[in-house]
Amino acid sequence: MASYDVPFGVAIDFATGVMEDADNVVVRHASDLRGYYSDADAMEALIASGDPVHYRVYEKAIPETEGHLLFCMSVLEPGSVGEEFFMTKGHYHTVADTAETYLCVKGSGFLVMKTSDGQWAAEPMEAGRMVYAPPLWAHRSINVGDDPLISFCVYPAHAGHNYGDIETEGFPKRVVRGPEGPIFLGNVA
Ligand code: S6P
Ligand code: ZN
């Protein structure tokens, strides 16, 4: 494994989101998102149809210690589970007061964010738009377009991922296909 205590560069294909020589490629299939969507029957049908890839995250194995930065490419496929657009699991950072930036390089969607005390926000993700998730804000990408939603993320290397609180709390809004575009629905679950 390369040392990441010396300078380096890496090639990224903005058309596909593929990071050359990635050390880790996290691949999440539909079945990894079981329980995240409101339409459980539609999710089971999607899994039965071949359990397609939902998203991939390309990373370098930079030490997860304070001082370093982690960066990644996230490629979220287009589609919906029932009427609800494909999305990432979403997470707080384990070190909750660490921020993250997302630069969208392709596609169309939202970064939906929330705090544990009930605030929420949704920032459009379009090619060339950077979205900032401040400390304490959980974040989830949602693809509302017909192409993959591709974004480049940077965050403190010691941040960690806290998925458990989102599994318990969910997000206050779901993004569904409406007659004239995406609609934000309140989530009572
Ligand atoms: C990491 C950053 C992204 C996500 C990726 C997948 O802090 O926010 O790289 O990991 O978009 O989302 P999730 O919620 O499954 O990790
Ligand atoms: Zn994050």
PDB file of all heavy atoms in Angstrom, residues 5-42:
ATOM      1  N   ASP A   5       1.711   9.677   3.536  1.00  0.00           N
ATOM      2  CA  ASP A   5       2.393  10.760   4.237  1.00  0.00           C
ATOM      3  C   ASP A   5       3.360  11.484   3.316  1.00  0.00           C
ATOM      4  O   ASP A   5       4.136  12.320   3.769  1.00  0.00           O
ATOM      5  CB  ASP A   5       3.106  10.210   5.479  1.00  0.00           C
ATOM      6  CG  ASP A   5       2.088   9.791   6.543  1.00  0.00           C
ATOM      7  OD1 ASP A   5       1.119  10.546   6.760  1.00  0.00           O
ATOM      8  OD2 ASP A   5       2.238   8.711   7.112  1.00  0.00           O
ATOM      9  N   VAL A   6       3.291  11.147   2.029  1.00  0.00           N
ATOM     10  CA  VAL A   6       4.038  11.901   1.017  1.00  0.00           C
ATOM     11  C   VAL A   6       3.035  12.367  -0.042  1.00  0.00           C
ATOM     12  O   VAL A   6       1.985  11.741  -0.223  1.00  0.00           O
ATOM     13  CB  VAL A   6       5.154  11.040   0.365  1.00  0.00           C
ATOM     14  CG1 VAL A   6       6.227  10.710   1.375  1.00  0.00           C
ATOM     15  CG2 VAL A   6       4.584   9.777  -0.260  1.00  0.00           C
ATOM     16  N   PRO A   7       3.341  13.460  -0.720  1.00  0.00           N
ATOM     17  CA  PRO A   7       2.384  13.982  -1.712  1.00  0.00           C
ATOM     18  C   PRO A   7       2.101  12.972  -2.821  1.00  0.00           C
ATOM     19  O   PRO A   7       2.954  12.173  -3.193  1.00  0.00           O
ATOM     20  CB  PRO A   7       3.106  15.215  -2.274  1.00  0.00           C
ATOM     21  CG  PRO A   7       4.043  15.625  -1.177  1.00  0.00           C
ATOM     22  CD  PRO A   7       4.511  14.348  -0.550  1.00  0.00           C
ATOM     23  N   PHE A   8       0.884  13.043  -3.338  1.00  0.00           N
ATOM     24  CA  PHE A   8       0.502  12.158  -4.443  1.00  0.00           C
ATOM     25  C   PHE A   8      -0.627  12.814  -5.231  1.00  0.00           C
ATOM     26  O   PHE A   8      -1.240  13.777  -4.764  1.00  0.00           O
ATOM     27  CB  PHE A   8       0.077  10.769  -3.933  1.00  0.00           C
ATOM     28  CG  PHE A   8      -1.244  10.771  -3.211  1.00  0.00           C
ATOM     29  CD1 PHE A   8      -2.424  10.431  -3.882  1.00  0.00           C
ATOM     30  CD2 PHE A   8      -1.327  11.126  -1.876  1.00  0.00           C
ATOM     31  CE1 PHE A   8      -3.652  10.442  -3.224  1.00  0.00           C
ATOM     32  CE2 PHE A   8      -2.547  11.144  -1.207  1.00  0.00           C
ATOM     33  CZ  PHE A   8      -3.719  10.793  -1.886  1.00  0.00           C
ATOM     34  N   GLY A   9      -0.911  12.261  -6.365  1.00  0.00           N
ATOM     35  CA  GLY A   9      -2.046  12.695  -7.170  1.00  0.00           C
ATOM     36  C   GLY A   9      -2.806  11.483  -7.653  1.00  0.00           C
ATOM     37  O   GLY A   9      -2.306  10.351  -7.600  1.00  0.00           O
ATOM     38  N   VAL A  10      -3.995  11.711  -8.121  1.00  0.00           N
ATOM     39  CA  VAL A  10      -4.825  10.599  -8.582  1.00  0.00           C
ATOM     40  C   VAL A  10      -5.729  11.103  -9.705  1.00  0.00           C
ATOM     41  O   VAL A  10      -6.176  12.258  -9.670  1.00  0.00           O
ATOM     42  CB  VAL A  10      -5.640  10.012  -7.402  1.00  0.00           C
ATOM     43  CG1 VAL A  10      -6.555  11.038  -6.784  1.00  0.00           C
ATOM     44  CG2 VAL A  10      -6.442   8.795  -7.824  1.00  0.00           C
ATOM     45  N   ALA A  11      -5.947  10.256 -10.689  1.00  0.00           N
ATOM     46  CA  ALA A  11      -6.805  10.634 -11.825  1.00  0.00           C
ATOM     47  C   ALA A  11      -8.252  10.260 -11.532  1.00  0.00           C
ATOM     48  O   ALA A  11      -8.535   9.160 -11.030  1.00  0.00           O
ATOM     49  CB  ALA A  11      -6.335   9.921 -13.089  1.00  0.00           C
ATOM     50  N   ILE A  12      -9.150  11.174 -11.853  1.00  0.00           N
ATOM     51  CA  ILE A  12     -10.580  10.938 -11.653  1.00  0.00           C
ATOM     52  C   ILE A  12     -11.291  11.244 -12.967  1.00  0.00           C
ATOM     53  O   ILE A  12     -11.070  12.306 -13.561  1.00  0.00           O
ATOM     54  CB  ILE A  12     -11.124  11.825 -10.516  1.00  0.00           C
ATOM     55  CG1 ILE A  12     -10.519  11.379  -9.173  1.00  0.00           C
ATOM     56  CG2 ILE A  12     -12.644  11.773 -10.473  1.00  0.00           C
ATOM     57  CD1 ILE A  12     -10.788  12.338  -8.035  1.00  0.00           C
ATOM     58  N   ASP A  13     -12.130  10.323 -13.399  1.00  0.00           N
ATOM     59  CA  ASP A  13     -12.902  10.511 -14.625  1.00  0.00           C
ATOM     60  C   ASP A  13     -14.256  11.104 -14.242  1.00  0.00           C
ATOM     61  O   ASP A  13     -15.102  10.413 -13.659  1.00  0.00           O
ATOM     62  CB  ASP A  13     -13.061   9.149 -15.313  1.00  0.00           C
ATOM     63  CG  ASP A  13     -13.799   9.251 -16.640  1.00  0.00           C
ATOM     64  OD1 ASP A  13     -14.498  10.261 -16.862  1.00  0.00           O
ATOM     65  OD2 ASP A  13     -13.686   8.310 -17.437  1.00  0.00           O
ATOM     66  N   PHE A  14     -14.454  12.367 -14.554  1.00  0.00           N
ATOM     67  CA  PHE A  14     -15.708  13.031 -14.162  1.00  0.00           C
ATOM     68  C   PHE A  14     -16.915  12.512 -14.958  1.00  0.00           C
ATOM     69  O   PHE A  14     -18.053  12.729 -14.559  1.00  0.00           O
ATOM     70  CB  PHE A  14     -15.598  14.547 -14.332  1.00  0.00           C
ATOM     71  CG  PHE A  14     -14.822  15.234 -13.233  1.00  0.00           C
ATOM     72  CD1 PHE A  14     -14.254  14.529 -12.185  1.00  0.00           C
ATOM     73  CD2 PHE A  14     -14.675  16.611 -13.246  1.00  0.00           C
ATOM     74  CE1 PHE A  14     -13.548  15.160 -11.173  1.00  0.00           C
ATOM     75  CE2 PHE A  14     -13.972  17.267 -12.237  1.00  0.00           C
ATOM     76  CZ  PHE A  14     -13.409  16.536 -11.199  1.00  0.00           C
ATOM     77  N   ALA A  15     -16.659  11.859 -16.087  1.00  0.00           N
ATOM     78  CA  ALA A  15     -17.788  11.332 -16.882  1.00  0.00           C
ATOM     79  C   ALA A  15     -18.384  10.089 -16.233  1.00  0.00           C
ATOM     80  O   ALA A  15     -19.583   9.834 -16.345  1.00  0.00           O
ATOM     81  CB  ALA A  15     -17.323  11.016 -18.299  1.00  0.00           C
ATOM     82  N   THR A  16     -17.525   9.311 -15.562  1.00  0.00           N
ATOM     83  CA  THR A  16     -17.998   8.052 -14.953  1.00  0.00           C
ATOM     84  C   THR A  16     -17.916   8.068 -13.439  1.00  0.00           C
ATOM     85  O   THR A  16     -18.520   7.214 -12.777  1.00  0.00           O
ATOM     86  CB  THR A  16     -17.152   6.868 -15.442  1.00  0.00           C
ATOM     87  OG1 THR A  16     -15.786   7.088 -15.013  1.00  0.00           O
ATOM     88  CG2 THR A  16     -17.204   6.748 -16.963  1.00  0.00           C
ATOM     89  N   GLY A  17     -17.118   8.967 -12.884  1.00  0.00           N
ATOM     90  CA  GLY A  17     -16.891   8.997 -11.439  1.00  0.00           C
ATOM     91  C   GLY A  17     -15.811   8.043 -10.978  1.00  0.00           C
ATOM     92  O   GLY A  17     -15.500   7.986  -9.785  1.00  0.00           O
ATOM     93  N   VAL A  18     -15.213   7.302 -11.897  1.00  0.00           N
ATOM     94  CA  VAL A  18     -14.229   6.294 -11.502  1.00  0.00           C
ATOM     95  C   VAL A  18     -12.913   6.969 -11.097  1.00  0.00           C
ATOM     96  O   VAL A  18     -12.385   7.813 -11.816  1.00  0.00           O
ATOM     97  CB  VAL A  18     -13.976   5.287 -12.643  1.00  0.00           C
ATOM     98  CG1 VAL A  18     -12.806   4.357 -12.302  1.00  0.00           C
ATOM     99  CG2 VAL A  18     -15.242   4.483 -12.909  1.00  0.00           C
ATOM    100  N   MET A  19     -12.427   6.592  -9.919  1.00  0.00           N
ATOM    101  CA  MET A  19     -11.131   7.059  -9.415  1.00  0.00           C
ATOM    102  C   MET A  19     -10.103   5.982  -9.727  1.00  0.00           C
ATOM    103  O   MET A  19     -10.232   4.842  -9.285  1.00  0.00           O
ATOM    104  CB  MET A  19     -11.207   7.288  -7.904  1.00  0.00           C
ATOM    105  CG  MET A  19      -9.923   7.803  -7.297  1.00  0.00           C
ATOM    106  SD  MET A  19      -9.997   7.797  -5.476  1.00  0.00           S
ATOM    107  CE  MET A  19     -11.249   9.037  -5.158  1.00  0.00           C
ATOM    108  N   GLU A  20      -9.087   6.372 -10.498  1.00  0.00           N
ATOM    109  CA  GLU A  20      -8.040   5.412 -10.863  1.00  0.00           C
ATOM    110  C   GLU A  20      -7.294   4.972  -9.612  1.00  0.00           C
ATOM    111  O   GLU A  20      -6.993   5.793  -8.740  1.00  0.00           O
ATOM    112  CB  GLU A  20      -7.081   6.118 -11.828  1.00  0.00           C
ATOM    113  CG  GLU A  20      -6.068   5.236 -12.481  1.00  0.00           C
ATOM    114  CD  GLU A  20      -5.205   6.069 -13.438  1.00  0.00           C
ATOM    115  OE1 GLU A  20      -5.606   6.210 -14.595  1.00  0.00           O
ATOM    116  OE2 GLU A  20      -4.170   6.591 -12.999  1.00  0.00           O
ATOM    117  N   ASP A  21      -6.980   3.693  -9.526  1.00  0.00           N
ATOM    118  CA  ASP A  21      -6.199   3.153  -8.405  1.00  0.00           C
ATOM    119  C   ASP A  21      -6.854   3.405  -7.048  1.00  0.00           C
ATOM    120  O   ASP A  21      -6.165   3.614  -6.045  1.00  0.00           O
ATOM    121  CB  ASP A  21      -4.771   3.733  -8.388  1.00  0.00           C
ATOM    122  CG  ASP A  21      -3.993   3.357  -9.624  1.00  0.00           C
ATOM    123  OD1 ASP A  21      -4.254   2.272 -10.175  1.00  0.00           O
ATOM    124  OD2 ASP A  21      -3.131   4.148 -10.043  1.00  0.00           O
ATOM    125  N   ALA A  22      -8.167   3.391  -7.016  1.00  0.00           N
ATOM    126  CA  ALA A  22      -8.842   3.502  -5.712  1.00  0.00           C
ATOM    127  C   ALA A  22      -8.417   2.316  -4.841  1.00  0.00           C
ATOM    128  O   ALA A  22      -8.263   1.196  -5.334  1.00  0.00           O
ATOM    129  CB  ALA A  22     -10.357   3.496  -5.905  1.00  0.00           C
ATOM    130  N   ASP A  23      -8.220   2.569  -3.555  1.00  0.00           N
ATOM    131  CA  ASP A  23      -7.883   1.468  -2.634  1.00  0.00           C
ATOM    132  C   ASP A  23      -9.138   0.737  -2.173  1.00  0.00           C
ATOM    133  O   ASP A  23      -9.090  -0.466  -1.909  1.00  0.00           O
ATOM    134  CB  ASP A  23      -7.142   2.017  -1.412  1.00  0.00           C
ATOM    135  CG  ASP A  23      -5.799   2.613  -1.783  1.00  0.00           C
ATOM    136  OD1 ASP A  23      -5.083   1.989  -2.588  1.00  0.00           O
ATOM    137  OD2 ASP A  23      -5.490   3.716  -1.287  1.00  0.00           O
ATOM    138  N   ASN A  24     -10.221   1.475  -2.030  1.00  0.00           N
ATOM    139  CA  ASN A  24     -11.496   0.881  -1.599  1.00  0.00           C
ATOM    140  C   ASN A  24     -12.575   1.320  -2.576  1.00  0.00           C
ATOM    141  O   ASN A  24     -12.637   2.497  -2.935  1.00  0.00           O
ATOM    142  CB  ASN A  24     -11.947   1.399  -0.225  1.00  0.00           C
ATOM    143  CG  ASN A  24     -10.868   1.289   0.820  1.00  0.00           C
ATOM    144  OD1 ASN A  24     -10.180   0.277   0.903  1.00  0.00           O
ATOM    145  ND2 ASN A  24     -10.717   2.335   1.621  1.00  0.00           N
ATOM    146  N   VAL A  25     -13.411   0.381  -2.966  1.00  0.00           N
ATOM    147  CA  VAL A  25     -14.629   0.732  -3.689  1.00  0.00           C
ATOM    148  C   VAL A  25     -15.788   0.133  -2.893  1.00  0.00           C
ATOM    149  O   VAL A  25     -15.950  -1.087  -2.826  1.00  0.00           O
ATOM    150  CB  VAL A  25     -14.635   0.188  -5.129  1.00  0.00           C
ATOM    151  CG1 VAL A  25     -15.883   0.670  -5.865  1.00  0.00           C
ATOM    152  CG2 VAL A  25     -13.378   0.612  -5.886  1.00  0.00           C
ATOM    153  N   VAL A  26     -16.522   1.004  -2.247  1.00  0.00           N
ATOM    154  CA  VAL A  26     -17.698   0.560  -1.495  1.00  0.00           C
ATOM    155  C   VAL A  26     -18.831   0.395  -2.502  1.00  0.00           C
ATOM    156  O   VAL A  26     -19.143   1.342  -3.231  1.00  0.00           O
ATOM    157  CB  VAL A  26     -18.092   1.605  -0.425  1.00  0.00           C
ATOM    158  CG1 VAL A  26     -19.350   1.165   0.322  1.00  0.00           C
ATOM    159  CG2 VAL A  26     -16.929   1.852   0.527  1.00  0.00           C
ATOM    160  N   VAL A  27     -19.400  -0.787  -2.583  1.00  0.00           N
ATOM    161  CA  VAL A  27     -20.507  -1.037  -3.511  1.00  0.00           C
ATOM    162  C   VAL A  27     -21.737  -1.382  -2.694  1.00  0.00           C
ATOM    163  O   VAL A  27     -21.743  -2.364  -1.955  1.00  0.00           O
ATOM    164  CB  VAL A  27     -20.184  -2.198  -4.475  1.00  0.00           C
ATOM    165  CG1 VAL A  27     -21.336  -2.385  -5.469  1.00  0.00           C
ATOM    166  CG2 VAL A  27     -18.881  -1.941  -5.211  1.00  0.00           C
ATOM    167  N   ARG A  28     -22.760  -0.552  -2.804  1.00  0.00           N
ATOM    168  CA  ARG A  28     -24.007  -0.851  -2.100  1.00  0.00           C
ATOM    169  C   ARG A  28     -25.075  -1.217  -3.129  1.00  0.00           C
ATOM    170  O   ARG A  28     -25.323  -0.484  -4.082  1.00  0.00           O
ATOM    171  CB  ARG A  28     -24.462   0.343  -1.269  1.00  0.00           C
ATOM    172  CG  ARG A  28     -23.498   0.692  -0.150  1.00  0.00           C
ATOM    173  CD  ARG A  28     -24.227   1.250   1.050  1.00  0.00           C
ATOM    174  NE  ARG A  28     -23.388   2.075   1.891  1.00  0.00           N
ATOM    175  CZ  ARG A  28     -22.521   1.624   2.801  1.00  0.00           C
ATOM    176  NH1 ARG A  28     -22.364   0.330   2.976  1.00  0.00           N
ATOM    177  NH2 ARG A  28     -21.818   2.479   3.528  1.00  0.00           N
ATOM    178  N   HIS A  29     -25.665  -2.374  -2.883  1.00  0.00           N
ATOM    179  CA  HIS A  29     -26.750  -2.873  -3.726  1.00  0.00           C
ATOM    180  C   HIS A  29     -28.086  -2.456  -3.110  1.00  0.00           C
ATOM    181  O   HIS A  29     -28.158  -2.025  -1.953  1.00  0.00           O
ATOM    182  CB  HIS A  29     -26.660  -4.391  -3.826  1.00  0.00           C
ATOM    183  CG  HIS A  29     -25.458  -4.854  -4.594  1.00  0.00           C
ATOM    184  ND1 HIS A  29     -25.526  -5.258  -5.901  1.00  0.00           N
ATOM    185  CD2 HIS A  29     -24.154  -4.947  -4.236  1.00  0.00           C
ATOM    186  CE1 HIS A  29     -24.321  -5.579  -6.325  1.00  0.00           C
ATOM    187  NE2 HIS A  29     -23.463  -5.407  -5.329  1.00  0.00           N
ATOM    188  N   ALA A  30     -29.140  -2.650  -3.888  1.00  0.00           N
ATOM    189  CA  ALA A  30     -30.481  -2.318  -3.387  1.00  0.00           C
ATOM    190  C   ALA A  30     -30.730  -2.962  -2.023  1.00  0.00           C
ATOM    191  O   ALA A  30     -31.245  -2.320  -1.097  1.00  0.00           O
ATOM    192  CB  ALA A  30     -31.533  -2.777  -4.400  1.00  0.00           C
ATOM    193  N   SER A  31     -30.341  -4.225  -1.875  1.00  0.00           N
ATOM    194  CA  SER A  31     -30.634  -4.947  -0.623  1.00  0.00           C
ATOM    195  C   SER A  31     -29.946  -4.315   0.585  1.00  0.00           C
ATOM    196  O   SER A  31     -30.402  -4.497   1.719  1.00  0.00           O
ATOM    197  CB  SER A  31     -30.245  -6.415  -0.745  1.00  0.00           C
ATOM    198  OG  SER A  31     -28.896  -6.533  -1.128  1.00  0.00           O
ATOM    199  N   ASP A  32     -28.863  -3.582   0.350  1.00  0.00           N
ATOM    200  CA  ASP A  32     -28.199  -2.891   1.472  1.00  0.00           C
ATOM    201  C   ASP A  32     -29.041  -1.723   1.982  1.00  0.00           C
ATOM    202  O   ASP A  32     -28.751  -1.174   3.050  1.00  0.00           O
ATOM    203  CB  ASP A  32     -26.819  -2.376   1.034  1.00  0.00           C
ATOM    204  CG  ASP A  32     -25.872  -3.510   0.689  1.00  0.00           C
ATOM    205  OD1 ASP A  32     -25.764  -4.450   1.512  1.00  0.00           O
ATOM    206  OD2 ASP A  32     -25.258  -3.480  -0.389  1.00  0.00           O
ATOM    207  N   LEU A  33     -30.032  -1.322   1.187  1.00  0.00           N
ATOM    208  CA  LEU A  33     -30.893  -0.188   1.565  1.00  0.00           C
ATOM    209  C   LEU A  33     -32.268  -0.669   2.046  1.00  0.00           C
ATOM    210  O   LEU A  33     -33.203   0.132   2.175  1.00  0.00           O
ATOM    211  CB  LEU A  33     -31.056   0.768   0.368  1.00  0.00           C
ATOM    212  CG  LEU A  33     -29.953   1.796   0.063  1.00  0.00           C
ATOM    213  CD1 LEU A  33     -29.952   2.918   1.094  1.00  0.00           C
ATOM    214  CD2 LEU A  33     -28.583   1.188  -0.053  1.00  0.00           C
ATOM    215  N   ARG A  34     -32.390  -1.964   2.306  1.00  0.00           N
ATOM    216  CA  ARG A  34     -33.665  -2.502   2.814  1.00  0.00           C
ATOM    217  C   ARG A  34     -34.063  -1.751   4.076  1.00  0.00           C
ATOM    218  O   ARG A  34     -33.238  -1.553   4.969  1.00  0.00           O
ATOM    219  CB  ARG A  34     -33.460  -3.967   3.186  1.00  0.00           C
ATOM    220  CG  ARG A  34     -34.444  -4.886   2.602  1.00  0.00           C
ATOM    221  CD  ARG A  34     -34.277  -6.287   3.124  1.00  0.00           C
ATOM    222  NE  ARG A  34     -34.746  -7.246   2.139  1.00  0.00           N
ATOM    223  CZ  ARG A  34     -33.994  -8.198   1.609  1.00  0.00           C
ATOM    224  NH1 ARG A  34     -32.735  -8.344   1.961  1.00  0.00           N
ATOM    225  NH2 ARG A  34     -34.519  -9.025   0.737  1.00  0.00           N
ATOM    226  N   GLY A  35     -35.307  -1.321   4.133  1.00  0.00           N
ATOM    227  CA  GLY A  35     -35.774  -0.614   5.324  1.00  0.00           C
ATOM    228  C   GLY A  35     -35.635   0.892   5.224  1.00  0.00           C
ATOM    229  O   GLY A  35     -36.168   1.618   6.056  1.00  0.00           O
ATOM    230  N   TYR A  36     -34.953   1.370   4.192  1.00  0.00           N
ATOM    231  CA  TYR A  36     -34.733   2.818   4.076  1.00  0.00           C
ATOM    232  C   TYR A  36     -35.848   3.528   3.319  1.00  0.00           C
ATOM    233  O   TYR A  36     -36.008   4.726   3.450  1.00  0.00           O
ATOM    234  CB  TYR A  36     -33.390   3.092   3.380  1.00  0.00           C
ATOM    235  CG  TYR A  36     -32.196   2.953   4.304  1.00  0.00           C
ATOM    236  CD1 TYR A  36     -31.676   1.713   4.639  1.00  0.00           C
ATOM    237  CD2 TYR A  36     -31.597   4.086   4.854  1.00  0.00           C
ATOM    238  CE1 TYR A  36     -30.575   1.590   5.485  1.00  0.00           C
ATOM    239  CE2 TYR A  36     -30.507   3.980   5.698  1.00  0.00           C
ATOM    240  CZ  TYR A  36     -30.004   2.728   6.010  1.00  0.00           C
ATOM    241  OH  TYR A  36     -28.928   2.623   6.850  1.00  0.00           O
ATOM    242  N   TYR A  37     -36.586   2.793   2.481  1.00  0.00           N
ATOM    243  CA  TYR A  37     -37.623   3.407   1.643  1.00  0.00           C
ATOM    244  C   TYR A  37     -38.996   3.093   2.215  1.00  0.00           C
ATOM    245  O   TYR A  37     -39.188   2.088   2.902  1.00  0.00           O
ATOM    246  CB  TYR A  37     -37.516   2.876   0.212  1.00  0.00           C
ATOM    247  CG  TYR A  37     -36.247   3.301  -0.504  1.00  0.00           C
ATOM    248  CD1 TYR A  37     -35.099   2.509  -0.458  1.00  0.00           C
ATOM    249  CD2 TYR A  37     -36.187   4.488  -1.216  1.00  0.00           C
ATOM    250  CE1 TYR A  37     -33.927   2.882  -1.108  1.00  0.00           C
ATOM    251  CE2 TYR A  37     -35.025   4.881  -1.878  1.00  0.00           C
ATOM    252  CZ  TYR A  37     -33.900   4.076  -1.824  1.00  0.00           C
ATOM    253  OH  TYR A  37     -32.751   4.466  -2.470  1.00  0.00           O
ATOM    254  N   SER A  38     -39.959   3.925   1.864  1.00  0.00           N
ATOM    255  CA  SER A  38     -41.298   3.710   2.437  1.00  0.00           C
ATOM    256  C   SER A  38     -42.011   2.520   1.796  1.00  0.00           C
ATOM    257  O   SER A  38     -42.839   1.884   2.434  1.00  0.00           O
ATOM    258  CB  SER A  38     -42.147   4.984   2.303  1.00  0.00           C
ATOM    259  OG  SER A  38     -42.313   5.293   0.954  1.00  0.00           O
ATOM    260  N   ASP A  39     -41.695   2.203   0.529  1.00  0.00           N
ATOM    261  CA  ASP A  39     -42.407   1.137  -0.175  1.00  0.00           C
ATOM    262  C   ASP A  39     -41.596  -0.163  -0.103  1.00  0.00           C
ATOM    263  O   ASP A  39     -40.775  -0.459  -0.986  1.00  0.00           O
ATOM    264  CB  ASP A  39     -42.649   1.566  -1.628  1.00  0.00           C
ATOM    265  CG  ASP A  39     -43.581   0.618  -2.370  1.00  0.00           C
ATOM    266  OD1 ASP A  39     -43.698  -0.548  -1.943  1.00  0.00           O
ATOM    267  OD2 ASP A  39     -44.166   1.046  -3.383  1.00  0.00           O
ATOM    268  N   ALA A  40     -41.834  -0.944   0.943  1.00  0.00           N
ATOM    269  CA  ALA A  40     -41.046  -2.175   1.164  1.00  0.00           C
ATOM    270  C   ALA A  40     -41.306  -3.197   0.060  1.00  0.00           C
ATOM    271  O   ALA A  40     -40.386  -3.932  -0.336  1.00  0.00           O
ATOM    272  CB  ALA A  40     -41.395  -2.766   2.528  1.00  0.00           C
ATOM    273  N   ASP A  41     -42.532  -3.244  -0.478  1.00  0.00           N
ATOM    274  CA  ASP A  41     -42.830  -4.211  -1.548  1.00  0.00           C
ATOM    275  C   ASP A  41     -42.039  -3.870  -2.811  1.00  0.00           C
ATOM    276  O   ASP A  41     -41.517  -4.759  -3.490  1.00  0.00           O
ATOM    277  CB  ASP A  41     -44.330  -4.213  -1.871  1.00  0.00           C
ATOM    278  CG  ASP A  41     -45.145  -4.799  -0.724  1.00  0.00           C
ATOM    279  OD1 ASP A  41     -44.561  -5.502   0.123  1.00  0.00           O
ATOM    280  OD2 ASP A  41     -46.372  -4.545  -0.687  1.00  0.00           O
ATOM    281  N   ALA A  42     -41.966  -2.579  -3.126  1.00  0.00           N
ATOM    282  CA  ALA A  42     -41.200  -2.165  -4.303  1.00  0.00           C
ATOM    283  C   ALA A  42     -39.729  -2.504  -4.115  1.00  0.00           C
ATOM    284  O   ALA A  42     -39.045  -2.904  -5.069  1.00  0.00           O
ATOM    285  CB  ALA A  42     -41.383  -0.666  -4.555  1.00  0.00           C
TER     286      ALA A  42
END
